[in-house]
mmCIF file of all heavy atoms in Angstrom:
data_model
loop_
_atom_site.group_PDB
_atom_site.id
_atom_site.type_symbol
_atom_site.label_atom_id
_atom_site.label_comp_id
_atom_site.label_asym_id
_atom_site.label_seq_id
_atom_site.Cartn_x
_atom_site.Cartn_y
_atom_site.Cartn_z
ATOM 1 N N ILE A 755 17.947 21.586 -5.831
ATOM 2 C CA ILE A 755 18.862 22.510 -6.514
ATOM 3 C C ILE A 755 18.986 22.143 -7.977
ATOM 4 O O ILE A 755 18.951 22.992 -8.868
ATOM 5 C CB ILE A 755 20.238 22.496 -5.824
ATOM 6 C CG1 ILE A 755 20.126 23.083 -4.421
ATOM 7 C CG2 ILE A 755 21.269 23.254 -6.644
ATOM 8 C CD1 ILE A 755 21.404 22.983 -3.610
ATOM 9 N N HIS A 756 19.127 20.857 -8.252
ATOM 10 C CA HIS A 756 19.262 20.402 -9.642
ATOM 11 C C HIS A 756 18.011 20.734 -10.445
ATOM 12 O O HIS A 756 18.075 21.215 -11.576
ATOM 13 C CB HIS A 756 19.511 18.898 -9.669
ATOM 14 C CG HIS A 756 19.538 18.316 -11.048
ATOM 15 N ND1 HIS A 756 20.613 18.506 -11.896
ATOM 16 C CD2 HIS A 756 18.620 17.589 -11.747
ATOM 17 C CE1 HIS A 756 20.368 17.911 -13.048
ATOM 18 N NE2 HIS A 756 19.159 17.346 -12.980
ATOM 19 N N PHE A 757 16.836 20.537 -9.831
ATOM 20 C CA PHE A 757 15.583 20.819 -10.533
ATOM 21 C C PHE A 757 15.436 22.301 -10.818
ATOM 22 O O PHE A 757 15.030 22.716 -11.908
ATOM 23 C CB PHE A 757 14.421 20.308 -9.686
ATOM 24 C CG PHE A 757 13.069 20.571 -10.305
ATOM 25 C CD1 PHE A 757 12.597 19.782 -11.335
ATOM 26 C CD2 PHE A 757 12.280 21.626 -9.862
ATOM 27 C CE1 PHE A 757 11.374 20.025 -11.916
ATOM 28 C CE2 PHE A 757 11.059 21.879 -10.442
ATOM 29 C CZ PHE A 757 10.592 21.077 -11.469
ATOM 30 N N THR A 758 15.821 23.133 -9.840
ATOM 31 C CA THR A 758 15.725 24.588 -10.022
ATOM 32 C C THR A 758 16.646 25.069 -11.113
ATOM 33 O O THR A 758 16.270 25.882 -11.970
ATOM 34 C CB THR A 758 16.059 25.305 -8.702
ATOM 35 O OG1 THR A 758 15.189 24.838 -7.682
ATOM 36 C CG2 THR A 758 15.916 26.800 -8.853
ATOM 37 N N GLN A 759 17.881 24.572 -11.114
ATOM 38 C CA GLN A 759 18.833 24.983 -12.141
ATOM 39 C C GLN A 759 18.374 24.542 -13.513
ATOM 40 O O GLN A 759 18.477 25.271 -14.495
ATOM 41 C CB GLN A 759 20.211 24.402 -11.822
ATOM 42 C CG GLN A 759 20.866 25.032 -10.613
ATOM 43 C CD GLN A 759 22.192 24.381 -10.282
ATOM 44 O OE1 GLN A 759 22.451 23.253 -10.693
ATOM 45 N NE2 GLN A 759 23.019 25.086 -9.538
ATOM 46 N N ALA A 760 17.842 23.317 -13.595
ATOM 47 C CA ALA A 760 17.385 22.811 -14.888
ATOM 48 C C ALA A 760 16.230 23.636 -15.415
ATOM 49 O O ALA A 760 16.167 23.970 -16.601
ATOM 50 C CB ALA A 760 16.985 21.337 -14.755
ATOM 51 N N CYS A 761 15.296 24.004 -14.521
ATOM 52 C CA CYS A 761 14.161 24.821 -14.956
ATOM 53 C C CYS A 761 14.630 26.182 -15.440
ATOM 54 O O CYS A 761 14.167 26.683 -16.454
ATOM 55 C CB CYS A 761 13.168 24.998 -13.803
ATOM 56 S SG CYS A 761 12.227 23.506 -13.423
ATOM 57 N N ALA A 762 15.569 26.796 -14.715
ATOM 58 C CA ALA A 762 16.064 28.113 -15.107
ATOM 59 C C ALA A 762 16.763 28.037 -16.453
ATOM 60 O O ALA A 762 16.626 28.919 -17.288
ATOM 61 C CB ALA A 762 17.016 28.643 -14.034
ATOM 62 N N TYR A 763 17.482 26.977 -16.688
ATOM 63 C CA TYR A 763 18.208 26.830 -17.952
ATOM 64 C C TYR A 763 17.239 26.692 -19.118
ATOM 65 O O TYR A 763 17.392 27.326 -20.148
ATOM 66 C CB TYR A 763 19.127 25.600 -17.867
ATOM 67 C CG TYR A 763 19.929 25.358 -19.119
ATOM 68 C CD1 TYR A 763 21.062 26.118 -19.391
ATOM 69 C CD2 TYR A 763 19.547 24.382 -20.021
ATOM 70 C CE1 TYR A 763 21.796 25.905 -20.539
ATOM 71 C CE2 TYR A 763 20.273 24.155 -21.171
ATOM 72 C CZ TYR A 763 21.386 24.915 -21.424
ATOM 73 O OH TYR A 763 22.106 24.699 -22.560
ATOM 74 N N ARG A 764 16.205 25.880 -18.927
ATOM 75 C CA ARG A 764 15.232 25.714 -20.004
ATOM 76 C C ARG A 764 14.474 27.011 -20.255
ATOM 77 O O ARG A 764 14.197 27.365 -21.386
ATOM 78 C CB ARG A 764 14.254 24.588 -19.637
ATOM 79 C CG ARG A 764 14.842 23.185 -19.755
ATOM 80 C CD ARG A 764 13.735 22.152 -19.777
ATOM 81 N NE ARG A 764 12.983 22.165 -18.537
ATOM 82 C CZ ARG A 764 13.273 21.400 -17.492
ATOM 83 N NH1 ARG A 764 14.303 20.582 -17.528
ATOM 84 N NH2 ARG A 764 12.533 21.456 -16.404
ATOM 85 N N PHE A 765 14.183 27.740 -19.181
ATOM 86 C CA PHE A 765 13.443 28.987 -19.345
ATOM 87 C C PHE A 765 14.246 30.009 -20.147
ATOM 88 O O PHE A 765 13.717 30.664 -21.028
ATOM 89 C CB PHE A 765 13.092 29.546 -17.968
ATOM 90 C CG PHE A 765 12.390 30.881 -18.026
ATOM 91 C CD1 PHE A 765 11.043 30.954 -18.329
ATOM 92 C CD2 PHE A 765 13.081 32.059 -17.790
ATOM 93 C CE1 PHE A 765 10.399 32.172 -18.391
ATOM 94 C CE2 PHE A 765 12.445 33.279 -17.848
ATOM 95 C CZ PHE A 765 11.102 33.331 -18.145
ATOM 96 N N SER A 766 15.560 30.138 -19.835
ATOM 97 C CA SER A 766 16.381 31.115 -20.538
ATOM 98 C C SER A 766 16.523 30.752 -22.009
ATOM 99 O O SER A 766 16.611 31.611 -22.865
ATOM 100 C CB SER A 766 17.763 31.203 -19.880
ATOM 101 O OG SER A 766 18.434 29.959 -19.976
ATOM 102 N N ASN A 767 16.545 29.459 -22.310
ATOM 103 C CA ASN A 767 16.670 29.039 -23.708
ATOM 104 C C ASN A 767 15.410 29.354 -24.496
ATOM 105 O O ASN A 767 15.459 29.817 -25.623
ATOM 106 C CB ASN A 767 16.957 27.542 -23.769
ATOM 107 C CG ASN A 767 18.440 27.264 -23.897
ATOM 108 O OD1 ASN A 767 19.230 28.187 -23.901
ATOM 109 N ND2 ASN A 767 18.807 26.005 -23.961
ATOM 110 N N THR A 768 14.247 29.082 -23.918
ATOM 111 C CA THR A 768 13.015 29.324 -24.649
ATOM 112 C C THR A 768 12.761 30.813 -24.828
ATOM 113 O O THR A 768 12.082 31.227 -25.758
ATOM 114 C CB THR A 768 11.822 28.691 -23.909
ATOM 115 O OG1 THR A 768 11.809 29.187 -22.562
ATOM 116 C CG2 THR A 768 11.949 27.172 -23.872
ATOM 117 N N ALA A 769 13.305 31.644 -23.925
ATOM 118 C CA ALA A 769 13.092 33.086 -24.027
ATOM 119 C C ALA A 769 13.885 33.699 -25.170
ATOM 120 O O ALA A 769 13.480 34.687 -25.746
ATOM 121 C CB ALA A 769 13.448 33.762 -22.712
ATOM 122 N N MET A 770 15.050 33.112 -25.491
ATOM 123 C CA MET A 770 15.924 33.683 -26.495
ATOM 124 C C MET A 770 15.635 33.052 -27.855
ATOM 125 O O MET A 770 16.286 32.086 -28.271
ATOM 126 C CB MET A 770 17.389 33.473 -26.106
ATOM 127 C CG MET A 770 17.755 34.077 -24.762
ATOM 128 S SD MET A 770 17.454 35.855 -24.703
ATOM 129 C CE MET A 770 18.722 36.425 -25.795
ATOM 130 N N GLN A 771 14.627 33.564 -28.551
ATOM 131 C CA GLN A 771 14.243 33.047 -29.855
ATOM 132 C C GLN A 771 14.107 34.188 -30.848
ATOM 133 O O GLN A 771 13.788 35.315 -30.483
ATOM 134 C CB GLN A 771 12.921 32.273 -29.765
ATOM 135 C CG GLN A 771 12.984 31.002 -28.928
ATOM 136 C CD GLN A 771 11.670 30.273 -28.910
ATOM 137 O OE1 GLN A 771 10.757 30.611 -29.653
ATOM 138 N NE2 GLN A 771 11.560 29.274 -28.045
ATOM 139 N N ALA A 772 14.319 33.860 -32.111
ATOM 140 C CA ALA A 772 14.145 34.847 -33.170
ATOM 141 C C ALA A 772 12.663 35.111 -33.402
ATOM 142 O O ALA A 772 11.815 34.281 -33.077
ATOM 143 C CB ALA A 772 14.793 34.340 -34.451
ATOM 144 N N PRO A 773 12.295 36.267 -33.949
ATOM 145 C CA PRO A 773 10.895 36.524 -34.291
ATOM 146 C C PRO A 773 10.339 35.455 -35.227
ATOM 147 O O PRO A 773 11.069 34.872 -36.030
ATOM 148 C CB PRO A 773 10.957 37.894 -34.987
ATOM 149 C CG PRO A 773 12.163 38.541 -34.402
ATOM 150 C CD PRO A 773 13.148 37.440 -34.191
ATOM 151 N N LEU A 774 9.066 35.200 -35.108
ATOM 152 C CA LEU A 774 8.415 34.144 -35.875
ATOM 153 C C LEU A 774 8.585 34.369 -37.378
ATOM 154 O O LEU A 774 8.378 35.474 -37.882
ATOM 155 C CB LEU A 774 6.924 34.120 -35.522
ATOM 156 C CG LEU A 774 6.136 32.900 -36.005
ATOM 157 C CD1 LEU A 774 6.641 31.636 -35.327
ATOM 158 C CD2 LEU A 774 4.644 33.105 -35.726
ATOM 159 N N GLY A 775 8.976 33.326 -38.089
ATOM 160 C CA GLY A 775 9.132 33.400 -39.535
ATOM 161 C C GLY A 775 10.501 33.874 -39.993
ATOM 162 O O GLY A 775 10.773 33.904 -41.188
ATOM 163 N N ILE A 776 11.375 34.261 -39.068
ATOM 164 C CA ILE A 776 12.716 34.732 -39.412
ATOM 165 C C ILE A 776 13.705 33.591 -39.155
ATOM 166 O O ILE A 776 13.941 33.205 -38.015
ATOM 167 C CB ILE A 776 13.112 35.972 -38.586
ATOM 168 C CG1 ILE A 776 12.075 37.085 -38.751
ATOM 169 C CG2 ILE A 776 14.493 36.452 -38.980
ATOM 170 C CD1 ILE A 776 11.912 37.560 -40.180
ATOM 171 N N ARG A 777 14.250 33.065 -40.231
ATOM 172 C CA ARG A 777 15.208 31.954 -40.121
ATOM 173 C C ARG A 777 16.592 32.347 -40.632
ATOM 174 O O ARG A 777 17.576 31.747 -40.249
ATOM 175 C CB ARG A 777 14.701 30.735 -40.894
ATOM 176 C CG ARG A 777 13.390 30.168 -40.343
ATOM 177 C CD ARG A 777 12.920 28.954 -41.141
ATOM 178 N NE ARG A 777 11.693 28.410 -40.598
ATOM 179 C CZ ARG A 777 10.478 28.827 -40.919
ATOM 180 N NH1 ARG A 777 10.351 29.835 -41.786
ATOM 181 N NH2 ARG A 777 9.408 28.284 -40.387
ATOM 182 N N THR A 778 16.653 33.329 -41.516
ATOM 183 C CA THR A 778 17.936 33.779 -42.066
ATOM 184 C C THR A 778 18.025 35.294 -41.943
ATOM 185 O O THR A 778 17.002 35.994 -42.000
ATOM 186 C CB THR A 778 18.079 33.381 -43.544
ATOM 187 O OG1 THR A 778 16.969 33.920 -44.287
ATOM 188 C CG2 THR A 778 18.100 31.869 -43.705
ATOM 189 N N ILE A 779 19.233 35.783 -41.777
ATOM 190 C CA ILE A 779 19.432 37.223 -41.621
ATOM 191 C C ILE A 779 20.688 37.651 -42.379
ATOM 192 O O ILE A 779 21.677 36.915 -42.434
ATOM 193 C CB ILE A 779 19.542 37.615 -40.133
ATOM 194 C CG1 ILE A 779 19.541 39.141 -39.965
ATOM 195 C CG2 ILE A 779 20.769 36.987 -39.481
ATOM 196 C CD1 ILE A 779 19.361 39.593 -38.525
ATOM 197 N N ALA A 780 20.621 38.820 -42.991
ATOM 198 C CA ALA A 780 21.772 39.419 -43.665
ATOM 199 C C ALA A 780 22.226 40.628 -42.862
ATOM 200 O O ALA A 780 21.400 41.365 -42.308
ATOM 201 C CB ALA A 780 21.403 39.839 -45.087
ATOM 202 N N ILE A 781 23.532 40.831 -42.791
ATOM 203 C CA ILE A 781 24.105 41.956 -42.056
ATOM 204 C C ILE A 781 24.714 42.916 -43.077
ATOM 205 O O ILE A 781 25.701 42.590 -43.732
ATOM 206 C CB ILE A 781 25.187 41.511 -41.062
ATOM 207 C CG1 ILE A 781 24.748 40.267 -40.279
ATOM 208 C CG2 ILE A 781 25.553 42.658 -40.126
ATOM 209 C CD1 ILE A 781 23.520 40.465 -39.443
ATOM 210 N N GLU A 782 24.089 44.075 -43.229
ATOM 211 C CA GLU A 782 24.583 45.049 -44.199
ATOM 212 C C GLU A 782 25.882 45.683 -43.703
ATOM 213 O O GLU A 782 26.102 45.827 -42.504
ATOM 214 C CB GLU A 782 23.524 46.126 -44.421
ATOM 215 C CG GLU A 782 23.775 46.998 -45.634
ATOM 216 C CD GLU A 782 22.579 47.899 -45.928
ATOM 217 O OE1 GLU A 782 22.293 48.778 -45.089
ATOM 218 O OE2 GLU A 782 21.933 47.710 -46.973
ATOM 219 N N ALA A 783 26.752 46.046 -44.625
ATOM 220 C CA ALA A 783 28.011 46.702 -44.268
ATOM 221 C C ALA A 783 27.731 47.975 -43.468
ATOM 222 O O ALA A 783 26.706 48.647 -43.667
ATOM 223 C CB ALA A 783 28.812 47.028 -45.524
ATOM 224 N N VAL A 784 28.632 48.304 -42.576
ATOM 225 C CA VAL A 784 28.442 49.445 -41.674
ATOM 226 C C VAL A 784 28.344 50.742 -42.472
ATOM 227 O O VAL A 784 29.183 51.033 -43.329
ATOM 228 C CB VAL A 784 29.601 49.531 -40.666
ATOM 229 C CG1 VAL A 784 29.451 50.761 -39.781
ATOM 230 C CG2 VAL A 784 29.656 48.269 -39.813
ATOM 231 N N TYR A 785 27.287 51.506 -42.173
ATOM 232 C CA TYR A 785 27.107 52.835 -42.757
ATOM 233 C C TYR A 785 27.731 53.843 -41.797
ATOM 234 O O TYR A 785 27.220 54.091 -40.707
ATOM 235 C CB TYR A 785 25.618 53.111 -42.973
ATOM 236 C CG TYR A 785 25.300 54.476 -43.517
ATOM 237 C CD1 TYR A 785 25.909 54.954 -44.670
ATOM 238 C CD2 TYR A 785 24.357 55.296 -42.884
ATOM 239 C CE1 TYR A 785 25.614 56.211 -45.177
ATOM 240 C CE2 TYR A 785 24.040 56.551 -43.381
ATOM 241 C CZ TYR A 785 24.673 57.000 -44.527
ATOM 242 O OH TYR A 785 24.376 58.249 -45.025
ATOM 243 N N ASP A 786 28.872 54.399 -42.189
ATOM 244 C CA ASP A 786 29.678 55.232 -41.293
ATOM 245 C C ASP A 786 29.531 56.707 -41.660
ATOM 246 O O ASP A 786 29.957 57.142 -42.729
ATOM 247 C CB ASP A 786 31.146 54.804 -41.393
ATOM 248 C CG ASP A 786 32.034 55.497 -40.366
ATOM 249 O OD1 ASP A 786 31.532 56.383 -39.651
ATOM 250 O OD2 ASP A 786 33.221 55.144 -40.288
ATOM 251 N N THR A 787 28.910 57.473 -40.764
ATOM 252 C CA THR A 787 28.803 58.920 -40.958
ATOM 253 C C THR A 787 29.613 59.678 -39.912
ATOM 254 O O THR A 787 29.452 60.891 -39.768
ATOM 255 C CB THR A 787 27.330 59.374 -40.899
ATOM 256 O OG1 THR A 787 26.770 58.994 -39.632
ATOM 257 C CG2 THR A 787 26.516 58.757 -42.018
ATOM 258 N N SER A 788 30.450 58.967 -39.180
ATOM 259 C CA SER A 788 31.318 59.631 -38.206
ATOM 260 C C SER A 788 32.480 60.298 -38.938
ATOM 261 O O SER A 788 32.722 60.046 -40.114
ATOM 262 C CB SER A 788 31.867 58.615 -37.195
ATOM 263 O OG SER A 788 32.782 57.737 -37.828
ATOM 264 N N ARG A 789 33.207 61.124 -38.221
ATOM 265 C CA ARG A 789 34.330 61.841 -38.826
ATOM 266 C C ARG A 789 35.675 61.300 -38.367
ATOM 267 O O ARG A 789 36.701 61.962 -38.540
ATOM 268 C CB ARG A 789 34.216 63.339 -38.499
ATOM 269 C CG ARG A 789 32.976 63.982 -39.099
ATOM 270 C CD ARG A 789 32.985 65.493 -38.904
ATOM 271 N NE ARG A 789 31.826 66.113 -39.528
ATOM 272 C CZ ARG A 789 31.617 67.425 -39.569
ATOM 273 N NH1 ARG A 789 32.496 68.254 -39.016
ATOM 274 N NH2 ARG A 789 30.534 67.923 -40.154
ATOM 275 N N GLU A 790 35.667 60.114 -37.793
ATOM 276 C CA GLU A 790 36.900 59.481 -37.344
ATOM 277 C C GLU A 790 37.240 58.309 -38.268
ATOM 278 O O GLU A 790 36.348 57.642 -38.803
ATOM 279 C CB GLU A 790 36.753 58.958 -35.913
ATOM 280 C CG GLU A 790 36.654 60.044 -34.864
ATOM 281 C CD GLU A 790 37.997 60.701 -34.571
ATOM 282 O OE1 GLU A 790 39.023 60.206 -35.073
ATOM 283 O OE2 GLU A 790 38.015 61.694 -33.826
ATOM 284 N N VAL A 791 38.521 58.075 -38.434
ATOM 285 C CA VAL A 791 38.974 56.926 -39.218
ATOM 286 C C VAL A 791 39.000 55.723 -38.279
ATOM 287 O O VAL A 791 39.940 55.532 -37.513
ATOM 288 C CB VAL A 791 40.368 57.170 -39.832
ATOM 289 C CG1 VAL A 791 40.804 55.959 -40.645
ATOM 290 C CG2 VAL A 791 40.353 58.420 -40.693
ATOM 291 N N ILE A 792 37.937 54.941 -38.331
ATOM 292 C CA ILE A 792 37.753 53.795 -37.444
ATOM 293 C C ILE A 792 37.665 52.526 -38.301
ATOM 294 O O ILE A 792 36.967 52.518 -39.331
ATOM 295 C CB ILE A 792 36.461 53.946 -36.615
ATOM 296 C CG1 ILE A 792 36.570 55.129 -35.648
ATOM 297 C CG2 ILE A 792 36.147 52.668 -35.845
ATOM 298 C CD1 ILE A 792 37.544 54.921 -34.522
ATOM 299 N N PRO A 793 38.336 51.441 -37.911
ATOM 300 C CA PRO A 793 38.191 50.178 -38.654
ATOM 301 C C PRO A 793 36.839 49.524 -38.377
ATOM 302 O O PRO A 793 36.726 48.521 -37.683
ATOM 303 C CB PRO A 793 39.362 49.332 -38.124
ATOM 304 C CG PRO A 793 39.620 49.850 -36.755
ATOM 305 C CD PRO A 793 39.317 51.327 -36.809
ATOM 306 N N HIS A 794 35.772 50.132 -38.948
ATOM 307 C CA HIS A 794 34.421 49.667 -38.634
ATOM 308 C C HIS A 794 34.095 48.296 -39.205
ATOM 309 O O HIS A 794 33.079 47.700 -38.851
ATOM 310 C CB HIS A 794 33.383 50.692 -39.132
ATOM 311 C CG HIS A 794 33.520 51.049 -40.574
ATOM 312 N ND1 HIS A 794 33.896 52.294 -40.990
ATOM 313 C CD2 HIS A 794 33.345 50.318 -41.702
ATOM 314 C CE1 HIS A 794 33.935 52.325 -42.309
ATOM 315 N NE2 HIS A 794 33.620 51.142 -42.759
ATOM 316 N N GLU A 795 34.959 47.774 -40.098
ATOM 317 C CA GLU A 795 34.723 46.422 -40.600
ATOM 318 C C GLU A 795 34.842 45.389 -39.477
ATOM 319 O O GLU A 795 34.274 44.286 -39.570
ATOM 320 C CB GLU A 795 35.715 46.098 -41.721
ATOM 321 C CG GLU A 795 37.170 45.945 -41.293
ATOM 322 C CD GLU A 795 37.910 47.272 -41.185
ATOM 323 O OE1 GLU A 795 37.275 48.322 -41.400
ATOM 324 O OE2 GLU A 795 39.120 47.238 -40.894
ATOM 325 N N LEU A 796 35.533 45.752 -38.399
ATOM 326 C CA LEU A 796 35.628 44.858 -37.247
ATOM 327 C C LEU A 796 34.264 44.675 -36.583
ATOM 328 O O LEU A 796 33.941 43.586 -36.100
ATOM 329 C CB LEU A 796 36.635 45.406 -36.234
ATOM 330 C CG LEU A 796 38.086 45.521 -36.714
ATOM 331 C CD1 LEU A 796 38.945 46.181 -35.636
ATOM 332 C CD2 LEU A 796 38.653 44.160 -37.077
#
C-alpha cells in the first residue's frame, strides 16, 4: 500500500508541470465585456 501510494504521488507531481521554457507568467487585468457590475478584480 505504501509503495502504491508513493508511486501515485510521484506520478501526479511529474504530470503537473509548466510548458517547457516557461518559468514566469504575468496575469493581465480582467477584460470585462459583460453588462453586469461584478467585482472582477477578485
Side-chain angles (χ1 to χ4, degrees):
I755 293 174
H756 175 74
F757 179 78
T758 303
Q759 290 177 339
C761 287
Y763 180 78
R764 286 197 297 268
F765 177 79
S766 63
N767 264 2
T768 55
M770 302 301 290
Q771 295 181 9
L774 192 64
I776 304 300
R777 297 180 179 86
T778 57
I779 188 168
I781 316 298
E782 194 171 66
V784 177
Y785 177 53
D786 187 354
T787 58
S788 69
R789 296 187 178 184
E790 290 284 352
V791 180
I792 294 291
H794 54 247
E795 69 277 2
L796 297 176

